[in-house]
Amino acid sequence: MSASAVFILDVKGKPLISRNYKGDVAMSKIEHFMPLLVQREEEGALAPLLSHGQVHFLWTKHSNLYLVATTSKNANASLVYSFLYKTIEVFCEYFKELEEESIRDNFVIVYELLDELMDFGFPQTTDSKILQEYITQQSNKLETGKSRVPPTVTNAVSWRSEGIKYKKNEVFIDVIESVNLLVNANGSVLLSEIVGTIKLKVFLSGMPELRLGLNDRVLFELTGRSKNKSVELEDVKFHQCVRLSRFDNDRTISFIPPDGDFELMSYRLSTQVKPLIWIESVIEKFSHSRVEITVKAKGQFKKQSVANGVEISVPVPSDADSPRFKTSVGSAKYVPERNVVIWSIKSFPGGKEYLMRAHFGLPSVEKEEVEGRPPIGVKFEIPYFTVSGIQVRYMKIIEKSGYQALPWVRYITQSGDYQLRTS
């Protein structure tokens, strides 16, 4: 069982929307939430779950709104939070931005959505594409033209409508990996992980069943194949369309996909990643009147690959002025409100090294306090490349009409939280 009631509060804790699913005593206790939140915050003991007597408040903040679910039962907290985040996702699909004004402008549709998202304390239809089939909006008002409930609501496959037809049947698969990296001033890697997602764009007729094969280490062990090119996936999370029982049994990713764009799965790899773009910097101060910063960037990935849209953010003293730059490639720009120099390189091939020199003037009297230098941040995107070595080995598409469909696969590696400390 999930929540007894769901509330949307403004930043002062005043309820904008409330929906009672169980007629529970928790409904009348929402006025205790904000004082309890403030009190716990002052005590330094703020938690995502707050309790007042027998009532539990499970909350999250989005923009200038609090979304709060209340219950007086021993509810499944992870289910409640999944529901709250899914509610935010659905509202963002409908209103583009979820904030106080968008709630006030769309009271009718918000109540209608809350009625469909949960019933009697249990999550129901949470797929925004299906909800948009029968809860539509026009000029901030609910359109009631469709009185008949679509079959997807009562169908076992609630995320896909029947009767979908395309002249050309295609599936586009994007394997996107973000590299999180933290390197200390000595060049040692303190944090290294890969967060990956597999996103699909599906243009298929009918009700096809798809089977996706990856070079998954557990699968290779089950089938007795070589482990040399396999990947050990951790923290795997699937879209609701995936048959989890089948994956548990034989590691087959089998599913009937939603129509259009969706995220099929996400995963994480706690593995030692060699920094793809290595940064070295040297700072020289001259008579407390000027400073020179030299930055060397090296691409430590294979030469056949190219990093696009590289941005290297180099911190500079807050009292620096009169910037001058010299770069071997790309361009540099001083951003005084952030106290950084951004070195932009449109195309950065693997194995290449580039230099950037920045000159700044400093006040004649040096600051007494020593400023701690923030790390250098790097942004980039490398197409046709994955750090983990994950591969889509096959995509089988099975549909009763027997049509042929083309799967297209694209690999992308990009920077996540990628930082290198220099002092």
Side-chain angles (χ1 to χ4, degrees):
M1 181 172 293
S2 186
S4 304
V6 173
F7 298 84
I8 301 177
L9 315 178
D10 63 17
V11 73
K12 295 180 180 178
K14 181 182 177 183
L16 299 171
I17 293 284
S18 61
R19 185 67 184 91
N20 192 357
Y21 295 108
K22 290 284 291 171
D24 195 277
V25 68
M27 183 76 180
S28 62
K29 299 293 183 181
I30 191 63
E31 68 270 10
H32 297 291
F33 168 73
M34 207 63 191
L36 193 61
L37 182 80
V38 173
Q39 178 189 339
R40 293 290 175 83
E41 195 169 20
E42 289 173 352
E43 294 171 352
L46 191 59
L49 193 153
L50 304 173
S51 297
H52 177 79
Q54 304 237 331
V55 177
H56 308 291
F57 303 100
L58 298 93
W59 65 279
T60 183
K61 189 176 182 183
H62 180 87
S63 187
N64 57 354
L65 299 172
Y66 289 98
L67 280 82
V68 186
T70 61
T71 180
S72 58
K73 309 288 185 185
N74 185 16
N76 183 334
S78 61
L79 176 61
V80 176
Y81 281 109
S82 294
F83 174 78
L84 289 177
Y85 287 120
K86 195 67 185 178
T87 300
I88 292 170
E89 186 181 315
V90 168
F91 285 168
C92 289
E93 285 285 330
Y94 268 83
F95 313 133
K96 306 305 178 190
E97 297 289 338
L98 177 56
E99 53 189 28
E100 185 177 336
E101 190 173 340
S102 59
I103 295 295
R104 292 188 185 280
D105 288 346
N106 296 281
F107 274 126
V108 176
I109 198 166
V110 169
Y111 274 113
E112 190 75 15
L113 286 169
L114 288 175
D115 278 343
E116 297 298 335
L117 286 164
M118 185 181 284
D119 188 22
F120 203 66
F122 292 93
Q124 297 296 312
T125 307
T126 58
D127 192 293
S128 59
K129 290 179 182 173
I130 300 303
L131 287 166
Q132 285 170 357
E133 288 189 14
Y134 61 102
I135 299 179
T136 58
Q137 60 174 6
Q138 186 175 358
S139 304
N140 297 324
K141 291 183 181 178
L142 182 64
E143 188 180 281
T144 55
K146 290 188 178 181
S147 56
R148 184 176 63 85
V149 177
T152 47
V153 177
T154 54
N155 191 8
V157 185
S158 61
W159 52 85
R160 185 179 180 89
S161 302
E162 294 180 358
I164 296 172
K165 290 184 180 179
Y166 287 100
K167 288 183 179 179
K168 188 176 182 181
N169 292 288
E170 294 178 304
V171 179
F172 297 89
I173 306 168
D174 281 344
V175 181
I176 303 169
E177 291 190 340
S178 297
V179 179
N180 296 331
L181 189 77
L182 179 60
V183 179
N184 68 10
N186 299 325
S188 301
V189 176
L190 302 178
L191 169 70
S192 171
E193 69 173 3
I194 301 165
V195 178
T197 57
I198 298 181
K199 297 182 178 181
L200 269 64
K201 187 177 287 188
V202 176
F203 303 107
L204 296 175
S205 305
M207 295 291 279
E209 179 181 337
L210 275 58
R211 292 176 189 168
L212 179 70
L214 304 172
N215 56 332
D216 175 23
R217 180 164 296 176
V218 178
L219 174 62
F220 277 35
E221 287 173 354
L222 288 171
T223 54
R225 275 172 284 186
S226 170
K227 300 178 188 176
N228 293 340
K229 293 185 177 180
S230 63
V231 177
E232 188 170 358
L233 304 176
E234 304 168 26
D235 296 342
V236 180
K237 179 185 174 186
F238 289 110
H239 187 275
Q240 62 175 325
C241 66
V242 175
R243 296 185 177 94
L244 296 180
S245 57
R246 179 146 191 195
F247 181 77
D248 290 337
N249 289 336
D250 58 13
R251 305 292 282 192
T252 300
I253 303 172
S254 174
F255 57 98
I256 296 173
D259 188 45
D261 296 319
F262 74 101
E263 184 178 297
L264 176 68
M265 62 179 285
S266 62
Y267 59 90
R268 186 178 62 85
L269 289 150
S270 297
T271 182
Q272 192 74 9
V273 178
K274 184 181 179 181
L276 298 173
I277 295 181
W278 181 253
I279 305 293
E280 294 177 10
S281 71
V282 178
I283 300 177
E284 291 183 88
K285 288 189 176 181
F286 300 92
S287 305
H288 309 315
S289 60
R290 63 188 178 92
V291 63
E292 181 177 299
I293 303 172
T294 304
V295 178
K296 181 168 75 172
K298 181 179 180 181
Q300 297 192 143
F301 47 93
K302 58 185 182 181
K303 294 181 180 179
Q304 301 94 317
S305 297
V306 177
N308 297 326
V310 177
E311 283 191 2
I312 301 168
S313 300
V314 183
V316 298
S318 58
D319 54 349
D321 57 25
S322 309
R324 288 184 293 119
F325 307 109
K326 186 176 181 182
T327 60
S328 59
V329 70
S331 61
K333 180 177 70 173
Y334 177 43
V335 185
E337 60 271 20
R338 290 172 50 196
N339 296 321
V340 295
V341 170
I342 296 180
W343 180 15
S344 301
I345 304 171
K346 189 175 180 181
S347 180
F348 197 139
K352 293 288 186 179
E353 280 189 14
Y354 298 119
L355 282 174
M356 186 270 291
R357 287 191 174 88
H359 298 263
F360 286 91
L362 291 175
S364 56
V365 180
E366 189 178 25
K367 285 188 175 182
E368 290 183 8
E369 68 271 19
V370 178
E371 294 182 349
R373 288 199 72 216
I376 292 175
V378 185
K379 292 182 180 178
F380 58 84
E381 185 174 283
I382 308 174
Y384 317 112
F385 175 77
T386 59
V387 189
S388 67
I390 194 171
Q391 293 177 357
V392 175
R393 293 175 47 248
Y394 63 84
M395 167 68 85
K396 293 180 181 176
I397 301 167
I398 305 160
E399 214 278 329
K400 60 183 180 182
S401 63
Y403 59 71
Q404 296 296 310
L406 296 171
W408 304 90
V409 184
R410 179 173 62 169
Y411 299 95
I412 300 171
T413 291
Q414 60 190 19
S415 56
D417 188 8
Y418 195 103
Q419 299 182 345
L420 299 97
R421 297 193 177 277
T422 55
S423 61

